[in-house]
Amino acid sequence: MENIKSLSSFDQEIFDLIEKETKRQEDEIELIASENYASPAVLEAMASSLNNKYSEGYPGKRYYGGNAIIDDVETLAIERLKKLFGAEHANVQALSGSPANAAVYMAFLEPGDKVLGLKLDHGGHLSHGHSVNFSGRLYNFVQYEVAENGVIDMEKVREVALKEKPKMIVAGFSAYSRDLDWKKFKEIADEVGAYTFADIAHIAGLIAGGCLSSPVPYFDVVSSTTHKTLRGPRGAFILCKEQFAKQIDRAIFPGMQGGPHDHITAAKAVAFKEALQPEFKIYCQQIIKNAKTMAEKFMELGYEIVSGGTDNHLMVIDLRNKNISGLEAEKALEKIGVSVSRSTIPNDPAPPMRPSGVRIGTPAITTRGFEEQEVLMATEFIDLALRNKDDEKVLSEIKEKIKELCSKFPIYKK
Ligand SMILES: *Cc1c(COP(=O)(O)O)cnc(C)c1O
């Protein structure tokens, strides 16, 4: 390996692209609700020799030799995760959110079984039964919706559940800005004899930080990503009641996956340790303060927020009254160095590639240190850009100001 010691000496092209991307992240405002900046400690664990190991199986029961140290790593990750959420059982091998959900369905359902999930354009996720996704092709998903005011009406959920009698009810979403009544979901599920499955991919960090209510005490099974509000490596986990532990573990391996990504398991353990620190609670509180500040400012500026505000880290802006589509907004903001994701709004009249809204979230900017004052500045920049979306000169002036603001809040370049 003499001449492939370092990236910069062996592969200048990839090295330069990584440098460029790091600089882009430093210079621009990241408002994609599912993104965050992992700590140097998390990145270090990911870039370690643990990448090299094969460990099919679980601690103490591996199909390969040489796993004593990996067993300790995975056990630490599991113990920290159980502590973080007060869970009975944890599986930390899921490779990402969608595969974790596939394993959950596999553990509890047969193909063709009926599952109740939130409609995608109302804030659900592809893996909750969309027709183009494996979930929608393998299982019989029926959908509940948000009410006219953009909030989930639990009585309506109950009505659909009583009518459809699903085998499983899924709650937990990608573009829903309100806290959830987990207990009520569980009561409804009990009434119809359904399993309860919470997908907390977006909000896991906020639940861990004590800022949102947790489904863990009530639900049979809970899945999450580790790279969104939880601020860890790209990956996922599954929590469940002890009675379902075996079927969940078997669904992940050998059901769905081969060898776990041990370097990612180590990085997950680091992220869980970070989330167990008292500072993480403060971080979560600030994410929500920032989101509320932003939502209020947008409303003051005449923007419509779906459901009228936010309880968590994100909001969906309905841009119809501003005569700009979600796609146009996303493109205009890209020109000023602000990343957002276009998003459908409930009952969107526009097609999915050109939806009527954008989804905006505050986890990443909060990680780099933005507080209310910077959030207000960012919101004003966004409004100015959307009002001048075709004026390249104004847009490039805003881009410079954003770069200057960002330079005061370095991510990695301390
Ligand atoms: C992000 C997300 C996922 C998928 O996670 P990936 O890691 O992108 O596969 C699943 N469910 C919900 C609710 C999500 O927001």
Side-chain angles (χ1 to χ4, degrees):
M1 287 204 288
E2 286 89 69
N3 53 5
I4 34 180
K5 280 213 167 72
S6 76
L7 191 57
S8 60
S9 66
F10 178 71
D11 190 341
Q12 196 67 42
E13 288 156 291
I14 287 293
F15 180 83
D16 286 347
L17 288 169
I18 293 173
E19 287 287 291
K20 260 193 187 156
E21 172 61 12
T22 305
K23 184 165 164 32
R24 186 194 70 79
Q25 293 183 15
E26 295 281 353
D27 288 349
E28 299 187 357
I29 294 181
E30 185 52 70
L31 291 175
I32 292 176
S34 49
E35 291 188 21
N36 214 330
Y37 309 114
S39 71
V42 165
L43 297 183
E44 206 179 318
M46 286 169 76
S48 67
S49 64
L50 274 61
N51 172 72
N52 306 335
K53 194 71 198 96
Y54 240 106
S55 320
E56 284 182 355
Y58 290 100
K61 295 166 284 193
R62 305 285 186 184
Y63 290 83
Y64 290 78
N67 270 304
I69 297 164
I70 297 299
D71 281 2
D72 287 349
V73 171
E74 187 167 335
T75 302
L76 256 182
I78 290 168
E79 289 312 316
R80 287 174 183 172
L81 179 60
K82 281 164 70 175
K83 187 167 172 208
L84 194 56
F85 289 95
E88 291 177 19
H89 179 76
N91 183 306
V92 295
Q93 293 191 4
L95 301 178
S96 212
S98 290
N101 290 352
V104 169
Y105 300 140
M106 192 176 183
F108 286 88
L109 306 170
E110 295 300 327
D113 277 348
K114 195 182 271 186
V115 188
L116 183 59
L118 180 68
K119 238 181 160 171
L120 185 68
D121 70 349
H122 288 219
H125 187 262
L126 278 170
S127 62
H128 298 181
H130 195 279
S131 60
V132 301
N133 187 263
F134 77 90
S135 55
R137 297 185 59 172
L138 282 181
Y139 305 101
N140 175 19
F141 268 83
V142 288
Q143 254 91 34
Y144 55 97
E145 309 183 347
V146 298
E148 201 58 36
N149 63 2
V151 179
I152 292 169
D153 176 345
M154 293 308 291
E155 273 317 305
K156 288 267 160 59
V157 176
R158 180 167 176 268
E159 273 170 33
V160 185
L162 288 174
K163 180 166 153 267
E164 299 284 356
K165 302 243 179 312
K167 191 164 172 191
M168 171 181 272
I169 297 180
V170 186
F173 320 109
S174 296
Y176 185 71
S177 64
R178 296 304 184 176
D179 202 3
L180 293 166
D181 190 346
W182 303 108
K183 196 157 170 245
K184 186 74 198 171
F185 270 110
K186 171 67 176 158
E187 283 166 19
I188 292 167
D190 283 348
E191 213 177 326
V192 300
Y195 293 118
T196 43
F197 168 28
D199 177 351
I200 58 170
H202 259 263
I203 53 178
L206 300 176
I207 292 170
C211 289
L212 289 178
S213 50
S214 172
V216 174
Y218 309 111
F219 272 48
D220 297 320
V221 59
V222 176
S223 76
S224 179
T225 61
T226 45
H227 49 276
K228 297 180 183 177
T229 49
L230 206 46
R231 211 164 57 180
R234 295 203 89 80
F237 61 76
I238 301 173
L239 307 172
C240 65
K241 299 290 181 202
E242 194 57 51
Q243 71 191 105
F244 304 117
K246 271 218 175 89
Q247 70 201 66
I248 282 294
D249 285 351
R250 276 202 211 117
I252 286 280
F253 176 85
M256 282 287 308
Q257 299 182 178
H261 296 185
D262 297 321
H263 57 312
I264 302 295
T265 304
K268 286 174 188 174
V270 175
F272 301 152
K273 182 167 179 169
E274 286 177 17
L276 283 163
Q277 307 304 309
E279 298 88 307
F280 195 79
K281 283 198 163 51
I282 297 165
Y283 166 60
C284 289
Q285 289 159 6
Q286 191 64 47
I287 291 177
I288 295 178
K289 269 192 224 164
N290 285 350
K292 283 184 188 292
T293 301
M294 188 173 261
E296 271 156 32
K297 183 72 189 173
F298 271 123
M299 290 190 283
E300 208 181 289
L301 293 165
Y303 291 83
E304 299 263 353
I305 307 274
V306 173
S307 88
T310 181
D311 300 326
N312 59 25
H313 63 299
L314 67 79
M315 67 207 75
V316 176
I317 306 181
D318 175 351
L319 290 165
R320 285 175 303 172
N321 69 338
K322 295 284 182 181
N323 287 320
I324 182 169
S325 74
L327 181 61
E328 288 169 317
E330 185 188 295
K331 295 274 174 245
L333 296 179
E334 203 162 62
K335 289 184 186 165
I336 63 165
V338 169
S339 301
V340 302
S341 41
R342 61 182 180 277
S343 171
T344 53
I345 55 166
N347 307 312
D348 203 326
M353 269 314 285
R354 240 185 122 75
S356 303
V358 284
R359 188 190 64 172
I360 288 186
T362 55
I365 53 169
T366 308
T367 293
R368 78 186 299 169
F370 278 26
E371 293 186 351
E372 287 88 329
Q373 193 191 337
E374 292 77 31
V375 165
L376 290 173
M377 284 170 75
T379 311
E380 279 167 3
F381 288 142
I382 290 169
D383 174 53
L384 192 61
L386 295 182
R387 284 191 284 111
N388 294 277
K389 69 177 164 51
D390 300 314
D391 189 333
E392 298 292 335
K393 185 163 169 288
V394 174
L395 295 179
S396 73
E397 280 165 17
I398 306 172
K399 189 181 169 81
E400 276 315 302
K401 288 192 183 139
I402 282 178
K403 206 170 151 183
E404 194 190 314
L405 173 63
C406 287
S407 72
K408 297 188 191 119
F409 296 88
I411 306 160
Y412 296 113
K413 295 189 170 147
K414 306 270 172 194

